[in-house]
Amino acid sequence: MNINTGGGLIGLLILIGDIWAIINILQSNAGMGAKLLWILLVVLLPLLGLIIWFVAGPRGGKV
């Protein structure tokens, strides 16, 4: 009997969060260098990068 701990679901939720963060980073008013650094942070450190972006990342989208 195999008990699934939900690891796949957690990974999927993190992936969705990362994609959402990248879209918001690209739509922000930050400079291209800052956008690139934020995207690299989110891609290289998926969960930690998402949390850091959520707390301190660039804000503001299309007006």
Side-chain angles (χ1 to χ4, degrees), residues 7-47:
L9 180 60
I10 293 170
L12 180 63
L13 291 174
I14 292 171
L15 177 64
I16 291 169
D18 286 346
I19 292 169
W20 176 70
I22 290 169
I23 290 169
N24 281 292
I25 291 166
L26 291 172
Q27 292 177 346
S28 75
N29 295 327
M32 282 307 294
K35 287 181 185 182
L36 180 61
L37 289 175
W38 278 111
I39 291 172
L40 284 174
L41 180 69
V42 170
V43 169
L44 294 176
L45 302 170
L47 181 58

